[in-house]
Amino acid sequence: MPELRQNFFTKEWVIIATERARRPEELATHRQAQAVPSFVESCPFCPGNEGKTPPEVMRSPANGDEPWAVRVIPNKFAALSSEVEPTRSLQHLRRRVNGFGFHEVIIDSPDHACCLALLPDAHVARILGVFKQRYNLLSSDHRINHVTIFKNHGADAGASLQHPHSQLIATPVIPSQVRHRLHEALRHYDDAGECMFCHMVESEVADQTRIVLKSELFVAMEVFASATPFATHIFPLRHMASFGEITAAEIADLAHVLRTLLAKIYVGLENPDLNFTIRSGPVDNAGARHFHWYVSVIPRLTRVAGFELGSGMFINTVLPEAAADFLRNVSVERAAGATG
Ligand SMILES: [Zn+2]
Ligand SMILES: [Zn+2]
C-alpha cells in the first residue's frame, strides 16, 4: 500500500509509492566506467596550473614548500562578491540586498581522477579540516549570517568542472529553508524540552531499520520520509548545533563514515551523480540547544517532475528501509580508500 510520510523537522509530506516500488539495484546507473587521467594539461585545478586560478586563500598543508594536498581559491565565476557591502533596500514590497558574500572552491586533491569515495580516510579528514577552518573564518565576519558547504559530483548534480572540488557560499541572509528548519527545531525544543534531532537519532539507532552504518561518534541513516531514493543523513552523536564546533577526533571519525557511505553509493549504484551538503545552524547558533548539524547526501537518481514543482510534495519509489538494507550489504572492502 502506498504511504504518506511526514519529515519530522521540515514537516514536508512525501509519497512512498510502494505500488510502483523499485528494487534499489534497479536505480544503478549502469554507466561505463570511464578512464579519467590523473592530470589534464588544460585543467585549471591540476598542479602546475595554479596561475590559471584566482590567488589561493588557503592550502593544506600550510607550508608552501610542500606540494598542496587541498587548495582553496575564490570562485572565478562567483555568485556573490566580497567587494560590495550588504546594503539593504525596500521599495514597496521589493526587498533587495547588494550581492555581498563569499564563494570559494575547495580543490579536493591534486589528482584529477580522484573521487572522495576512493580517497584514503586521512585525506577526506584533511578536506573536512579545511571546511572547518573556512567555515569558522568566514563565520567570524559580522556581515555573514549563513555558510553553506556543498559538493556537486557529476554533471547532473551541477558540476561544471571534472576535477573534484567542493564549494562554499557565505551569504548575508539566512536562507528561508534554513530559517524554517530552525523555527521547527525551536518549536520542538520549547514544546518537548529536548533537541528533536538527538531524540530522532536515539530512536533510529534503537530501531535499526534505516541505519546504514554507525561509528563511535557518527551515524549514517536513510531518511524516514525521504523525498528521493537513497537520501542519507550523517549525524554527530554528540549534540552540536554548528559544524564549526567539530573536534579533531570527530573530523577523523566523520571522514571514515562519509567516505565509507560514498564508497557504498559508488559501488552499489555505480558512481551516480550526487550532491552532499553540510546542514549547519547559522553562524550565531553555535552552542544552541535546539539545533543539530548534519551532512545530507543526495544521489541524483531521479528527476523532479510537474507534481513535485506544483506541490512541493515528492514521490519516492524506493522504500528508505530497502535502501538502507541495500547499502548495508554493499561491500567496500576492495574500494581503494578502505585501505588508506
Ligand atoms: Zn584537473
Ligand atoms: Zn541534538
Side-chain angles (χ1 to χ4, degrees):
M1 207 195 313
E3 184 177 64
L4 284 102
R5 293 186 180 184
Q6 190 181 36
N7 187 302
F8 79 103
F9 61 103
T10 65
K11 304 303 174 199
E12 282 156 4
W13 288 97
V14 301
I15 299 172
I16 308 287
T18 49
E19 296 300 297
R20 36 172 154 154
R22 297 166 71 184
R23 282 178 292 119
E25 54 271 33
E26 289 176 53
L27 288 181
T29 60
H30 301 303
R31 60 167 58 139
Q32 298 287 337
Q34 280 179 306
V36 180
S38 280
F39 174 79
V40 172
E41 184 81 54
S42 59
C43 171
F45 295 171
C46 273
N49 292 340
E50 287 82 357
K52 291 182 182 167
T53 68
E56 72 193 26
V57 292
M58 186 185 159
R59 66 161 61 192
S60 174
N63 184 350
D65 297 337
E66 290 176 69
W68 58 270
V70 181
R71 190 165 174 260
V72 184
I73 54 172
N75 192 316
K76 198 170 183 176
F77 307 100
L80 293 168
S81 165
S82 55
E83 305 292 310
V84 297
E85 284 301 309
T87 311
R88 290 171 181 254
S89 71
L90 180 63
Q91 186 186 34
H92 300 288
L93 295 175
R94 296 189 289 270
R95 192 182 298 281
R96 300 172 207 252
V97 187
N98 282 345
F100 168 78
F102 296 92
H103 188 171
E104 296 183 342
V105 173
I106 298 102
I107 304 170
D108 293 344
S109 152
D111 184 350
H112 189 90
C114 87
C115 165
L116 227 51
L118 304 176
L119 278 169
D121 289 352
H123 194 105
V124 177
R126 184 187 289 277
I127 295 168
L128 294 174
V130 169
F131 285 177
K132 179 189 173 175
Q133 283 193 49
R134 298 311 298 167
Y135 184 89
N136 283 342
L137 184 77
L138 296 176
S139 294
S140 66
D141 187 317
H142 71 279
R143 298 166 299 177
I144 291 300
N145 279 303
H146 193 68
V147 179
T148 304
I149 297 171
F150 60 98
K151 168 175 280 297
N152 304 330
H153 171 74
D156 279 351
S160 50
L161 270 171
Q162 193 182 34
H163 194 117
H165 62 282
S166 314
Q167 297 182 64
L168 173 157
I169 297 184
T171 55
V173 297
I174 298 173
S176 63
Q177 194 190 73
V178 175
R179 182 168 65 181
H180 175 64
R181 283 158 205 247
L182 283 167
H183 281 168
E184 290 299 335
L186 184 59
R187 191 195 318 274
H188 182 89
Y189 182 80
D190 215 21
D191 286 347
E194 62 172 15
C195 164
M196 69 198 304
F197 302 88
C198 283
H199 181 146
M200 186 277 297
V201 166
E202 202 175 304
S203 67
E204 289 290 327
V205 168
D207 185 79
Q208 289 290 314
T209 50
R210 282 170 293 275
I211 303 295
V212 177
L213 75 143
K214 183 175 170 297
S215 66
E216 191 193 340
L217 304 173
F218 286 85
V219 61
M221 64 179 80
E222 293 305 293
V223 180
F224 165 74
S226 171
T228 54
F230 291 94
T232 311
H233 288 172
I234 303 174
F235 283 91
L237 295 172
R238 172 171 81 91
H239 178 82
M240 267 185 284
S242 167
F243 171 69
E245 298 171 65
I246 193 169
T247 65
E250 284 163 338
I251 283 178
D253 193 83
L254 175 61
H256 175 71
V257 172
L258 176 63
R259 209 234 8 115
T260 306
L261 172 67
L262 293 175
K264 281 173 175 282
I265 292 171
Y266 183 96
V267 172
L269 298 171
E270 300 173 34
N271 190 19
D273 292 353
L274 65 79
N275 298 102
F276 77 71
T277 171
I278 297 176
R279 289 189 169 276
S280 174
V283 170
D284 288 340
N285 270 65
R289 292 176 187 171
H290 64 279
F291 196 75
H292 196 124
W293 72 268
Y294 58 99
V295 181
S296 174
V297 179
I298 313 281
R300 302 298 292 265
L301 300 161
T302 53
R303 287 189 184 277
V304 172
F307 177 67
E308 283 86 355
L309 289 176
S311 66
M313 187 188 281
F314 280 69
I315 301 174
N316 181 353
T317 53
V318 175
L319 265 176
E321 294 74 25
D325 187 58
F326 175 80
L327 289 179
R328 271 197 301 270
N329 288 303
V330 174
S331 167
V332 291
E333 299 283 302
R334 281 182 295 136
T339 54

PDB file of all heavy atoms in Angstrom, residues 129-161:
ATOM      1  N   GLY A 129      38.818  19.150   7.570  1.00  0.00           N
ATOM      2  CA  GLY A 129      39.528  20.125   8.414  1.00  0.00           C
ATOM      3  C   GLY A 129      39.584  21.485   7.736  1.00  0.00           C
ATOM      4  O   GLY A 129      39.433  22.531   8.381  1.00  0.00           O
ATOM      5  N   VAL A 130      39.799  21.478   6.414  1.00  0.00           N
ATOM      6  CA  VAL A 130      39.811  22.736   5.641  1.00  0.00           C
ATOM      7  C   VAL A 130      38.407  23.354   5.659  1.00  0.00           C
ATOM      8  O   VAL A 130      38.253  24.565   5.869  1.00  0.00           O
ATOM      9  CB  VAL A 130      40.302  22.482   4.188  1.00  0.00           C
ATOM     10  CG1 VAL A 130      40.066  23.705   3.317  1.00  0.00           C
ATOM     11  CG2 VAL A 130      41.777  22.102   4.191  1.00  0.00           C
ATOM     12  N   PHE A 131      37.386  22.512   5.488  1.00  0.00           N
ATOM     13  CA  PHE A 131      35.998  23.006   5.574  1.00  0.00           C
ATOM     14  C   PHE A 131      35.801  23.755   6.888  1.00  0.00           C
ATOM     15  O   PHE A 131      35.233  24.844   6.926  1.00  0.00           O
ATOM     16  CB  PHE A 131      34.989  21.848   5.543  1.00  0.00           C
ATOM     17  CG  PHE A 131      34.758  21.203   4.205  1.00  0.00           C
ATOM     18  CD1 PHE A 131      33.910  20.103   4.101  1.00  0.00           C
ATOM     19  CD2 PHE A 131      35.365  21.673   3.049  1.00  0.00           C
ATOM     20  CE1 PHE A 131      33.670  19.485   2.884  1.00  0.00           C
ATOM     21  CE2 PHE A 131      35.144  21.057   1.814  1.00  0.00           C
ATOM     22  CZ  PHE A 131      34.289  19.960   1.744  1.00  0.00           C
ATOM     23  N   LYS A 132      36.240  23.130   7.980  1.00  0.00           N
ATOM     24  CA  LYS A 132      36.018  23.727   9.312  1.00  0.00           C
ATOM     25  C   LYS A 132      36.728  25.081   9.418  1.00  0.00           C
ATOM     26  O   LYS A 132      36.145  26.052   9.900  1.00  0.00           O
ATOM     27  CB  LYS A 132      36.514  22.783  10.406  1.00  0.00           C
ATOM     28  CG  LYS A 132      36.337  23.373  11.798  1.00  0.00           C
ATOM     29  CD  LYS A 132      37.013  22.584  12.893  1.00  0.00           C
ATOM     30  CE  LYS A 132      36.915  23.345  14.211  1.00  0.00           C
ATOM     31  NZ  LYS A 132      37.433  22.600  15.353  1.00  0.00           N
ATOM     32  N   GLN A 133      37.971  25.124   8.949  1.00  0.00           N
ATOM     33  CA  GLN A 133      38.716  26.388   9.045  1.00  0.00           C
ATOM     34  C   GLN A 133      38.049  27.494   8.245  1.00  0.00           C
ATOM     35  O   GLN A 133      37.934  28.628   8.702  1.00  0.00           O
ATOM     36  CB  GLN A 133      40.142  26.185   8.534  1.00  0.00           C
ATOM     37  CG  GLN A 133      41.030  25.470   9.534  1.00  0.00           C
ATOM     38  CD  GLN A 133      42.495  25.584   9.120  1.00  0.00           C
ATOM     39  OE1 GLN A 133      42.982  26.659   8.823  1.00  0.00           O
ATOM     40  NE2 GLN A 133      43.172  24.461   9.100  1.00  0.00           N
ATOM     41  N   ARG A 134      37.628  27.179   7.024  1.00  0.00           N
ATOM     42  CA  ARG A 134      36.973  28.201   6.198  1.00  0.00           C
ATOM     43  C   ARG A 134      35.626  28.602   6.821  1.00  0.00           C
ATOM     44  O   ARG A 134      35.252  29.771   6.827  1.00  0.00           O
ATOM     45  CB  ARG A 134      36.736  27.707   4.755  1.00  0.00           C
ATOM     46  CG  ARG A 134      37.972  27.363   3.969  1.00  0.00           C
ATOM     47  CD  ARG A 134      39.040  28.404   4.018  1.00  0.00           C
ATOM     48  NE  ARG A 134      38.671  29.707   3.460  1.00  0.00           N
ATOM     49  CZ  ARG A 134      39.372  30.818   3.630  1.00  0.00           C
ATOM     50  NH1 ARG A 134      40.472  30.812   4.353  1.00  0.00           N
ATOM     51  NH2 ARG A 134      38.970  31.959   3.108  1.00  0.00           N
ATOM     52  N   TYR A 135      34.907  27.600   7.320  1.00  0.00           N
ATOM     53  CA  TYR A 135      33.589  27.854   7.934  1.00  0.00           C
ATOM     54  C   TYR A 135      33.730  28.836   9.098  1.00  0.00           C
ATOM     55  O   TYR A 135      33.015  29.834   9.184  1.00  0.00           O
ATOM     56  CB  TYR A 135      32.991  26.528   8.412  1.00  0.00           C
ATOM     57  CG  TYR A 135      31.591  26.652   8.967  1.00  0.00           C
ATOM     58  CD1 TYR A 135      30.485  26.538   8.138  1.00  0.00           C
ATOM     59  CD2 TYR A 135      31.374  26.902  10.328  1.00  0.00           C
ATOM     60  CE1 TYR A 135      29.198  26.665   8.631  1.00  0.00           C
ATOM     61  CE2 TYR A 135      30.093  27.033  10.829  1.00  0.00           C
ATOM     62  CZ  TYR A 135      29.012  26.911   9.983  1.00  0.00           C
ATOM     63  OH  TYR A 135      27.741  27.050  10.480  1.00  0.00           O
ATOM     64  N   ASN A 136      34.699  28.544   9.954  1.00  0.00           N
ATOM     65  CA  ASN A 136      34.848  29.398  11.135  1.00  0.00           C
ATOM     66  C   ASN A 136      35.407  30.775  10.783  1.00  0.00           C
ATOM     67  O   ASN A 136      34.991  31.780  11.356  1.00  0.00           O
ATOM     68  CB  ASN A 136      35.723  28.702  12.187  1.00  0.00           C
ATOM     69  CG  ASN A 136      34.935  27.635  12.930  1.00  0.00           C
ATOM     70  OD1 ASN A 136      33.699  27.642  12.914  1.00  0.00           O
ATOM     71  ND2 ASN A 136      35.618  26.710  13.563  1.00  0.00           N
ATOM     72  N   LEU A 137      36.313  30.809   9.819  1.00  0.00           N
ATOM     73  CA  LEU A 137      36.893  32.105   9.446  1.00  0.00           C
ATOM     74  C   LEU A 137      35.815  33.011   8.823  1.00  0.00           C
ATOM     75  O   LEU A 137      35.654  34.161   9.225  1.00  0.00           O
ATOM     76  CB  LEU A 137      38.047  31.914   8.456  1.00  0.00           C
ATOM     77  CG  LEU A 137      38.744  33.224   8.105  1.00  0.00           C
ATOM     78  CD1 LEU A 137      39.681  33.651   9.243  1.00  0.00           C
ATOM     79  CD2 LEU A 137      39.519  33.106   6.807  1.00  0.00           C
ATOM     80  N   LEU A 138      35.067  32.487   7.861  1.00  0.00           N
ATOM     81  CA  LEU A 138      34.064  33.321   7.186  1.00  0.00           C
ATOM     82  C   LEU A 138      32.902  33.642   8.123  1.00  0.00           C
ATOM     83  O   LEU A 138      32.304  34.710   8.045  1.00  0.00           O
ATOM     84  CB  LEU A 138      33.585  32.654   5.900  1.00  0.00           C
ATOM     85  CG  LEU A 138      34.689  32.497   4.845  1.00  0.00           C
ATOM     86  CD1 LEU A 138      34.185  31.753   3.627  1.00  0.00           C
ATOM     87  CD2 LEU A 138      35.247  33.857   4.425  1.00  0.00           C
ATOM     88  N   SER A 139      32.614  32.716   9.045  1.00  0.00           N
ATOM     89  CA  SER A 139      31.542  32.958  10.022  1.00  0.00           C
ATOM     90  C   SER A 139      31.867  34.141  10.932  1.00  0.00           C
ATOM     91  O   SER A 139      30.963  34.773  11.474  1.00  0.00           O
ATOM     92  CB  SER A 139      31.343  31.730  10.911  1.00  0.00           C
ATOM     93  OG  SER A 139      30.871  30.650  10.152  1.00  0.00           O
ATOM     94  N   SER A 140      33.152  34.402  11.118  1.00  0.00           N
ATOM     95  CA  SER A 140      33.520  35.470  12.057  1.00  0.00           C
ATOM     96  C   SER A 140      33.295  36.852  11.448  1.00  0.00           C
ATOM     97  O   SER A 140      33.379  37.860  12.137  1.00  0.00           O
ATOM     98  CB  SER A 140      34.978  35.302  12.504  1.00  0.00           C
ATOM     99  OG  SER A 140      35.830  35.510  11.392  1.00  0.00           O
ATOM    100  N   ASP A 141      33.005  36.922  10.143  1.00  0.00           N
ATOM    101  CA  ASP A 141      32.674  38.202   9.508  1.00  0.00           C
ATOM    102  C   ASP A 141      31.235  38.562   9.899  1.00  0.00           C
ATOM    103  O   ASP A 141      30.302  37.814   9.582  1.00  0.00           O
ATOM    104  CB  ASP A 141      32.803  38.042   7.976  1.00  0.00           C
ATOM    105  CG  ASP A 141      32.635  39.367   7.241  1.00  0.00           C
ATOM    106  OD1 ASP A 141      31.722  40.137   7.603  1.00  0.00           O
ATOM    107  OD2 ASP A 141      33.409  39.627   6.315  1.00  0.00           O
ATOM    108  N   HIS A 142      31.060  39.691  10.574  1.00  0.00           N
ATOM    109  CA  HIS A 142      29.730  40.019  11.116  1.00  0.00           C
ATOM    110  C   HIS A 142      28.693  40.273  10.038  1.00  0.00           C
ATOM    111  O   HIS A 142      27.496  40.324  10.300  1.00  0.00           O
ATOM    112  CB  HIS A 142      29.824  41.233  12.056  1.00  0.00           C
ATOM    113  CG  HIS A 142      30.091  42.515  11.334  1.00  0.00           C
ATOM    114  ND1 HIS A 142      31.363  42.891  10.935  1.00  0.00           N
ATOM    115  CD2 HIS A 142      29.266  43.486  10.887  1.00  0.00           C
ATOM    116  CE1 HIS A 142      31.299  44.044  10.293  1.00  0.00           C
ATOM    117  NE2 HIS A 142      30.035  44.435  10.246  1.00  0.00           N
ATOM    118  N   ARG A 143      29.138  40.444   8.794  1.00  0.00           N
ATOM    119  CA  ARG A 143      28.182  40.672   7.697  1.00  0.00           C
ATOM    120  C   ARG A 143      27.617  39.355   7.161  1.00  0.00           C
ATOM    121  O   ARG A 143      26.675  39.347   6.369  1.00  0.00           O
ATOM    122  CB  ARG A 143      28.871  41.434   6.552  1.00  0.00           C
ATOM    123  CG  ARG A 143      29.376  42.809   6.956  1.00  0.00           C
ATOM    124  CD  ARG A 143      30.329  43.369   5.923  1.00  0.00           C
ATOM    125  NE  ARG A 143      31.524  42.526   5.762  1.00  0.00           N
ATOM    126  CZ  ARG A 143      32.496  42.748   4.873  1.00  0.00           C
ATOM    127  NH1 ARG A 143      32.424  43.772   4.068  1.00  0.00           N
ATOM    128  NH2 ARG A 143      33.539  41.933   4.796  1.00  0.00           N
ATOM    129  N   ILE A 144      28.240  38.241   7.573  1.00  0.00           N
ATOM    130  CA  ILE A 144      27.817  36.909   7.101  1.00  0.00           C
ATOM    131  C   ILE A 144      26.844  36.295   8.103  1.00  0.00           C
ATOM    132  O   ILE A 144      27.105  36.275   9.314  1.00  0.00           O
ATOM    133  CB  ILE A 144      29.056  35.996   6.927  1.00  0.00           C
ATOM    134  CG1 ILE A 144      29.912  36.482   5.757  1.00  0.00           C
ATOM    135  CG2 ILE A 144      28.659  34.526   6.736  1.00  0.00           C
ATOM    136  CD1 ILE A 144      29.198  36.511   4.408  1.00  0.00           C
ATOM    137  N   ASN A 145      25.713  35.773   7.605  1.00  0.00           N
ATOM    138  CA  ASN A 145      24.745  35.141   8.505  1.00  0.00           C
ATOM    139  C   ASN A 145      24.566  33.647   8.281  1.00  0.00           C
ATOM    140  O   ASN A 145      23.959  32.967   9.112  1.00  0.00           O
ATOM    141  CB  ASN A 145      23.387  35.844   8.390  1.00  0.00           C
ATOM    142  CG  ASN A 145      23.375  37.116   9.218  1.00  0.00           C
ATOM    143  OD1 ASN A 145      23.616  37.085  10.421  1.00  0.00           O
ATOM    144  ND2 ASN A 145      23.158  38.246   8.569  1.00  0.00           N
ATOM    145  N   HIS A 146      25.065  33.150   7.158  1.00  0.00           N
ATOM    146  CA  HIS A 146      24.967  31.709   6.941  1.00  0.00           C
ATOM    147  C   HIS A 146      26.067  31.247   5.991  1.00  0.00           C
ATOM    148  O   HIS A 146      26.415  31.959   5.049  1.00  0.00           O
ATOM    149  CB  HIS A 146      23.599  31.320   6.374  1.00  0.00           C
ATOM    150  CG  HIS A 146      23.356  29.844   6.431  1.00  0.00           C
ATOM    151  ND1 HIS A 146      23.185  29.163   7.615  1.00  0.00           N
ATOM    152  CD2 HIS A 146      23.312  28.900   5.458  1.00  0.00           C
ATOM    153  CE1 HIS A 146      23.019  27.885   7.373  1.00  0.00           C
ATOM    154  NE2 HIS A 146      23.089  27.689   6.074  1.00  0.00           N
ATOM    155  N   VAL A 147      26.603  30.039   6.263  1.00  0.00           N
ATOM    156  CA  VAL A 147      27.638  29.455   5.401  1.00  0.00           C
ATOM    157  C   VAL A 147      27.169  28.073   4.962  1.00  0.00           C
ATOM    158  O   VAL A 147      26.843  27.230   5.791  1.00  0.00           O
ATOM    159  CB  VAL A 147      28.989  29.342   6.147  1.00  0.00           C
ATOM    160  CG1 VAL A 147      30.051  28.713   5.242  1.00  0.00           C
ATOM    161  CG2 VAL A 147      29.463  30.714   6.647  1.00  0.00           C
ATOM    162  N   THR A 148      27.108  27.857   3.658  1.00  0.00           N
ATOM    163  CA  THR A 148      26.734  26.549   3.102  1.00  0.00           C
ATOM    164  C   THR A 148      27.957  25.926   2.445  1.00  0.00           C
ATOM    165  O   THR A 148      28.601  26.559   1.600  1.00  0.00           O
ATOM    166  CB  THR A 148      25.611  26.700   2.050  1.00  0.00           C
ATOM    167  OG1 THR A 148      24.503  27.360   2.651  1.00  0.00           O
ATOM    168  CG2 THR A 148      25.144  25.339   1.541  1.00  0.00           C
ATOM    169  N   ILE A 149      28.279  24.701   2.847  1.00  0.00           N
ATOM    170  CA  ILE A 149      29.372  23.944   2.220  1.00  0.00           C
ATOM    171  C   ILE A 149      28.726  22.794   1.460  1.00  0.00           C
ATOM    172  O   ILE A 149      27.845  22.117   1.990  1.00  0.00           O
ATOM    173  CB  ILE A 149      30.345  23.401   3.288  1.00  0.00           C
ATOM    174  CG1 ILE A 149      31.011  24.560   4.025  1.00  0.00           C
ATOM    175  CG2 ILE A 149      31.400  22.489   2.652  1.00  0.00           C
ATOM    176  CD1 ILE A 149      31.814  24.134   5.243  1.00  0.00           C
ATOM    177  N   PHE A 150      29.144  22.602   0.215  1.00  0.00           N
ATOM    178  CA  PHE A 150      28.495  21.570  -0.586  1.00  0.00           C
ATOM    179  C   PHE A 150      29.413  21.008  -1.646  1.00  0.00           C
ATOM    180  O   PHE A 150      30.445  21.604  -1.974  1.00  0.00           O
ATOM    181  CB  PHE A 150      27.222  22.135  -1.252  1.00  0.00           C
ATOM    182  CG  PHE A 150      27.472  23.304  -2.171  1.00  0.00           C
ATOM    183  CD1 PHE A 150      27.563  23.129  -3.544  1.00  0.00           C
ATOM    184  CD2 PHE A 150      27.641  24.586  -1.666  1.00  0.00           C
ATOM    185  CE1 PHE A 150      27.798  24.208  -4.395  1.00  0.00           C
ATOM    186  CE2 PHE A 150      27.887  25.674  -2.505  1.00  0.00           C
ATOM    187  CZ  PHE A 150      27.961  25.477  -3.870  1.00  0.00           C
ATOM    188  N   LYS A 151      29.020  19.858  -2.155  1.00  0.00           N
ATOM    189  CA  LYS A 151      29.733  19.243  -3.277  1.00  0.00           C
ATOM    190  C   LYS A 151      28.742  18.865  -4.367  1.00  0.00           C
ATOM    191  O   LYS A 151      27.670  18.333  -4.077  1.00  0.00           O
ATOM    192  CB  LYS A 151      30.480  17.983  -2.829  1.00  0.00           C
ATOM    193  CG  LYS A 151      30.977  17.152  -4.015  1.00  0.00           C
ATOM    194  CD  LYS A 151      31.809  15.983  -3.616  1.00  0.00           C
ATOM    195  CE  LYS A 151      33.214  16.370  -3.303  1.00  0.00           C
ATOM    196  NZ  LYS A 151      33.940  16.939  -4.476  1.00  0.00           N
ATOM    197  N   ASN A 152      29.137  19.165  -5.605  1.00  0.00           N
ATOM    198  CA  ASN A 152      28.398  18.699  -6.774  1.00  0.00           C
ATOM    199  C   ASN A 152      29.283  17.660  -7.448  1.00  0.00           C
ATOM    200  O   ASN A 152      30.372  17.989  -7.902  1.00  0.00           O
ATOM    201  CB  ASN A 152      28.142  19.842  -7.763  1.00  0.00           C
ATOM    202  CG  ASN A 152      27.412  21.016  -7.128  1.00  0.00           C
ATOM    203  OD1 ASN A 152      26.635  20.852  -6.194  1.00  0.00           O
ATOM    204  ND2 ASN A 152      27.663  22.215  -7.640  1.00  0.00           N
ATOM    205  N   HIS A 153      28.833  16.417  -7.485  1.00  0.00           N
ATOM    206  CA  HIS A 153      29.606  15.355  -8.143  1.00  0.00           C
ATOM    207  C   HIS A 153      28.850  14.901  -9.384  1.00  0.00           C
ATOM    208  O   HIS A 153      27.767  14.316  -9.268  1.00  0.00           O
ATOM    209  CB  HIS A 153      29.816  14.185  -7.161  1.00  0.00           C
ATOM    210  CG  HIS A 153      30.402  12.950  -7.790  1.00  0.00           C
ATOM    211  ND1 HIS A 153      31.721  12.863  -8.167  1.00  0.00           N
ATOM    212  CD2 HIS A 153      29.849  11.752  -8.109  1.00  0.00           C
ATOM    213  CE1 HIS A 153      31.956  11.662  -8.696  1.00  0.00           C
ATOM    214  NE2 HIS A 153      30.832  10.975  -8.670  1.00  0.00           N
ATOM    215  N   GLY A 154      29.397  15.199 -10.564  1.00  0.00           N
ATOM    216  CA  GLY A 154      28.760  14.793 -11.820  1.00  0.00           C
ATOM    217  C   GLY A 154      27.907  15.897 -12.411  1.00  0.00           C
ATOM    218  O   GLY A 154      27.406  16.778 -11.700  1.00  0.00           O
ATOM    219  N   ALA A 155      27.737  15.852 -13.735  1.00  0.00           N
ATOM    220  CA  ALA A 155      27.041  16.922 -14.458  1.00  0.00           C
ATOM    221  C   ALA A 155      25.589  17.089 -14.004  1.00  0.00           C
ATOM    222  O   ALA A 155      25.090  18.205 -13.879  1.00  0.00           O
ATOM    223  CB  ALA A 155      27.090  16.647 -15.965  1.00  0.00           C
ATOM    224  N   ASP A 156      24.906  15.982 -13.718  1.00  0.00           N
ATOM    225  CA  ASP A 156      23.509  16.088 -13.295  1.00  0.00           C
ATOM    226  C   ASP A 156      23.366  16.676 -11.894  1.00  0.00           C
ATOM    227  O   ASP A 156      22.268  17.023 -11.460  1.00  0.00           O
ATOM    228  CB  ASP A 156      22.807  14.712 -13.338  1.00  0.00           C
ATOM    229  CG  ASP A 156      22.357  14.383 -14.759  1.00  0.00           C
ATOM    230  OD1 ASP A 156      22.447  15.274 -15.629  1.00  0.00           O
ATOM    231  OD2 ASP A 156      21.922  13.239 -14.983  1.00  0.00           O
ATOM    232  N   ALA A 157      24.475  16.740 -11.160  1.00  0.00           N
ATOM    233  CA  ALA A 157      24.449  17.344  -9.825  1.00  0.00           C
ATOM    234  C   ALA A 157      24.972  18.781  -9.875  1.00  0.00           C
ATOM    235  O   ALA A 157      25.140  19.425  -8.843  1.00  0.00           O
ATOM    236  CB  ALA A 157      25.279  16.509  -8.850  1.00  0.00           C
ATOM    237  N   GLY A 158      25.256  19.271 -11.080  1.00  0.00           N
ATOM    238  CA  GLY A 158      25.644  20.672 -11.225  1.00  0.00           C
ATOM    239  C   GLY A 158      27.132  20.926 -11.326  1.00  0.00           C
ATOM    240  O   GLY A 158      27.565  22.073 -11.329  1.00  0.00           O
ATOM    241  N   ALA A 159      27.953  19.867 -11.411  1.00  0.00           N
ATOM    242  CA  ALA A 159      29.398  20.080 -11.508  1.00  0.00           C
ATOM    243  C   ALA A 159      29.753  20.520 -12.925  1.00  0.00           C
ATOM    244  O   ALA A 159      29.371  19.870 -13.895  1.00  0.00           O
ATOM    245  CB  ALA A 159      30.153  18.803 -11.146  1.00  0.00           C
ATOM    246  N   SER A 160      30.473  21.646 -13.053  1.00  0.00           N
ATOM    247  CA  SER A 160      30.818  22.144 -14.383  1.00  0.00           C
ATOM    248  C   SER A 160      32.268  21.820 -14.729  1.00  0.00           C
ATOM    249  O   SER A 160      32.663  21.847 -15.884  1.00  0.00           O
ATOM    250  CB  SER A 160      30.558  23.642 -14.483  1.00  0.00           C
ATOM    251  OG  SER A 160      31.148  24.312 -13.393  1.00  0.00           O
ATOM    252  N   LEU A 161      33.097  21.529 -13.726  1.00  0.00           N
ATOM    253  CA  LEU A 161      34.480  21.125 -13.964  1.00  0.00           C
ATOM    254  C   LEU A 161      34.668  19.719 -13.418  1.00  0.00           C
ATOM    255  O   LEU A 161      34.198  19.408 -12.324  1.00  0.00           O
ATOM    256  CB  LEU A 161      35.446  22.067 -13.241  1.00  0.00           C
ATOM    257  CG  LEU A 161      35.937  23.294 -14.008  1.00  0.00           C
ATOM    258  CD1 LEU A 161      36.699  24.219 -13.079  1.00  0.00           C
ATOM    259  CD2 LEU A 161      36.806  22.897 -15.196  1.00  0.00           C
TER     260      LEU A 161
END
